[in-house]
């Protein structure tokens, strides 16, 4: 809560809670990892409780309209084990519905071919505020998601790391630099400030 309040005081528009990519909040959702027997473990409602409780508390401090959450349904990053597809769908449908009741600004979804269309549709129908999609999008696939209404906004991460002039390249229909995966999140300029830019 203090970090969220400090972010707003420092001039940030809001904060995003990271409930994706195998981090602790996604682990709480996963029945293979969350083996608690108290109110934070067991059924879907209990496994979602930690994430929802944190959002409630942050919202009290900075307002729900300044809170977003990132999720990655069906992700196995960080060796997080996949779980039953029907239960996964029900988990994210329930979570989207509860986040809608809390009135947060957006859900940021790390897209993946592993996510069934049914899950996308349930999230879309249960959450009426902004949906942001990211992960492996190209300008063309991003435009298609916006145009068909499955996303309200799109985000680019690795593409920006490898292309500091990413927007200019889209405007000029220029080729993109390949991401150097060996230098991601390593110290020094390699992989951060040494990518070529357009003349």
């Amino acid at each position: 809560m203090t970090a969220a309040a400090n972010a707003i005081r420092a001039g940030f528009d809001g904060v995003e809670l990271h409930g994706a990519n195998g981090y602790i909040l996604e682990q709480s959702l996963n029945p293979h990892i969350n083996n608690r027997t108290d109110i934070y473990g067991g059924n879907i409602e209990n496994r979602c409780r930690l994430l929802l409780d944190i959002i409630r508390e942050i919202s009290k401090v900075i307002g729900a309209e300044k809170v977003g959450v990132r999720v990655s349904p069906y992700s196995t990053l960080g060796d997080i084990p996949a779980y039953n597809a029907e239960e996964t769908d029900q988990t994210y449908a329930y979570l989207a519905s509860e986040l809608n009741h809390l009135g947060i600004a957006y859900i940021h979804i790390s897209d993946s071919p592993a996510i069934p269309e049914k899950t996308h549709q349930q999230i879309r129908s249960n959450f009426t505020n902004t949906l942001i999609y990211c992960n492996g999008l190209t300008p063309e696939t991003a435009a298609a998601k916006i145009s068909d209404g499955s996303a309200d906004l799109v985000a680019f991460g690795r593409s920006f790391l490898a292309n500091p002039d990413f927007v200019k390249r889209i405007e000029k229909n220029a080729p993109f630099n390949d991401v150097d995966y060996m230098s991601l999140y390593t110290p020094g300029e390699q992989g951060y400030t040494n990518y070529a830019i357009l003349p």
Side-chain angles (χ1 to χ4, degrees):
M1 294 5 104
T2 302
N6 286 343
I8 300 304
R9 271 197 295 273
F12 284 77
D13 294 321
V15 299
E16 179 176 280
L17 215 55
H18 206 328
N21 298 4
Y23 294 126
I24 187 70
L25 294 177
E26 185 175 32
Q27 291 176 31
S28 181
L29 301 175
N30 190 308
H32 293 313
I33 295 174
N34 182 349
N35 57 8
R36 296 179 67 128
T37 56
D38 60 8
I39 62 167
Y40 291 99
N43 62 30
I44 288 170
E45 291 81 2
N46 284 355
R47 285 186 276 112
C48 289
R49 191 184 306 275
L50 177 63
L51 176 55
L52 295 171
D53 279 356
I54 292 171
I55 288 173
R56 284 188 192 95
E57 293 304 311
I58 291 174
S59 297
K60 287 177 188 174
V61 176
I62 65 171
E65 74 283 358
K66 295 180 180 178
V67 179
V69 63
R70 180 161 170 165
V71 296
S72 56
Y74 286 85
S75 172
T76 54
L77 278 175
D79 295 328
I80 191 167
Y83 54 105
N84 175 273
E86 188 58 34
E87 189 167 13
T88 305
D89 289 341
Q90 290 172 5
T91 298
Y92 285 94
Y94 172 77
L95 189 60
S97 178
E98 291 301 303
L99 293 171
N100 192 59
H101 293 318
L102 292 176
I104 67 168
Y106 66 84
I107 299 176
H108 183 178
I109 300 168
S110 181
D111 201 4
S112 155
I115 305 174
E117 185 56 31
K118 174 184 175 183
T119 309
H120 292 299
Q121 289 172 356
Q122 287 175 327
I123 293 171
R124 174 85 275 181
S125 62
N126 288 354
F127 188 77
T128 57
N129 284 346
T130 301
L131 286 186
I132 304 172
Y133 271 85
C134 70
N135 198 27
L137 295 170
T138 65
E140 295 74 25
T141 59
K145 276 199 166 295
I146 296 289
S147 152
D148 69 19
S150 56
D152 300 303
L153 294 171
V154 291
F156 297 94
R158 291 183 296 263
S159 301
F160 260 115
L161 282 177
N163 299 276
D165 52 355
F166 184 64
V167 174
K168 186 176 180 182
R169 287 173 187 266
I170 292 174
E171 290 170 346
K172 293 182 171 290
N173 198 26
F176 296 103
N177 296 321
D178 292 326
V179 179
D180 177 6
Y181 286 94
M182 297 305 293
S183 65
L184 286 179
Y185 310 112
T186 55
E189 68 177 22
Q190 186 72 21
Y192 291 97
T193 61
N194 66 323
Y195 282 107
I197 59 172
L198 293 175

